Amino acid sequence: MSQVKSEVDTRPSAQSEGLFERAKRVLPSGYTRDLAAVKPFPRYADHGEGCWITDVDGNRIIDFVNNFASQIHGHAHPAVADVIAKQAYRITSTIMPSDWEVKLAELLRERIPSVEQVRFMNSGTEANIVATKVARCFTGKTKIAKMEGGYHGQYDLLEGSYQPTPDKWGPVETPTTVANNPGTPQSLLDELVLLPLNNLGATRDILRARANEIAAVFIDPFRLQLGLVQPDPAFLEMLREETERLGILLIFDEVLSLRISRSGTQGKRGIVPDLTTMGKIIGGGLPVGGLGGREDIMSTLGVEASPKVKHSGTFTGNPMSMAAGYTSMSLLDEAAFAGLDARGEQLREGFRKIQADLGIPGQVLGEASFSVFLPWGEPIRNYRDLFQAMRGGLGEGILAIQSKLLARGVLTLRGGFIGSTPMTADHIDFTLAAMKDALSEIHSS
Ligand code: PMP
């Protein structure tokens, strides 16, 4: 622990501040993605090594965001960096396929229960767009169902009701579809059906009543809204049974949750969807998306299929992402997952102990390499509970912890702590000490 502590060196942030001043002139609000925003200005990254990032001012920060859960080996893993460098000298992109895409597809087929065939894309968003087209083509139906509050990337259809507000969200058991952005056409929103997460009866009723319109149900089987709400296993089982019976495809969005085990969340829960969308860790730190599933459904993407879903893309399957992805995924053997699980458990146990020692309300959620600490005592079962909690003080509480942790050299996002393979027990002890200090300060003020 003392060794870890000596690696943290907090200095002033003049370089970051200066860059942000320039950024504000050329990027809206100074940013190129909303979730990077931090007050008063962000720290600009210079380089990373293992679970550490060094910013342009020389501050070292332990990284529990891992670029939204994609960097499962942290930064600059030698094997991944090496294959990227070598591939850059061989070929970066071309219309000709490379051996890497075959190897990565074979690896995914071998590990992920629902995956018989795969198509690659450049982001999780794109994977969900293509999944929507495939589901419509295969079933001949147009409507898509998702959980109220569910996130599936930036496709305007699937963005519906990601963050609805009480004035618009409608009845709890039959939620109204709310646009995520101004100007979204009502005709598009009419194609989206909202399901109330963890409400078995109401969800079953909607699916049964609208079975002849709904092509597919999308769900992230692990969590809603960055880990804050988890689907009950019984809810997932019900979805599997009902969709199968009603001729609706079940699509697991495992863009994030594939990191939960070697066979994804589906393998761990023992529930096999029809299609799986992937991203993040399968690209080894480079942009990627993937759609996998049953061969009869995936065959709608076949070159001579009829009816057929057209799919191409300039950088689709580029050998850089495929090489980094294959190398990174190959490193994730059972031992690597056992290590991630153990560090996650150490962190969650530590959080529970701190909470008990300080006698503060809170709950510790998560599983495997994904942990969440919420300074909130009430149970959160669905998006609406979460919304009320956020408005009632949880949002502020999370941000206070995030900023106090950053000041102590720990980078987190909205209560979430996303682990990586280079993290050791010492790194977790260091993080727990920072957490105890941060929470003590918040509760003494
Ligand atoms: N689905 C889920 C569950 C996600 O967590 C994300 C990204 N956070 C996406 C889809 C979108 O992926 P991308 O950012 O690569 O488009």
Side-chain angles (χ1 to χ4, degrees), residues 68 123-125 128 151-153 220 223 253 255-256 280 288:
F68 301 103
S123 68
T125 295
N128 286 328
Y151 185 66
H152 302 289
D220 174 335
R223 65 9 137 194
D253 177 341
V255 169
L256 186 143
K280 299 193 194 275
V288 82

Side-chain angles (χ1 to χ4, degrees), residues 91-110:
I91 194 159
T92 53
S93 69
T94 154
I95 188 172
M96 293 163 67
S98 71
D99 57 344
W100 293 116
E101 70 183 32
V102 184
K103 292 200 261 189
L104 183 56
E106 284 170 348
L107 180 147
L108 294 171
R109 180 186 156 112
E110 191 255 311

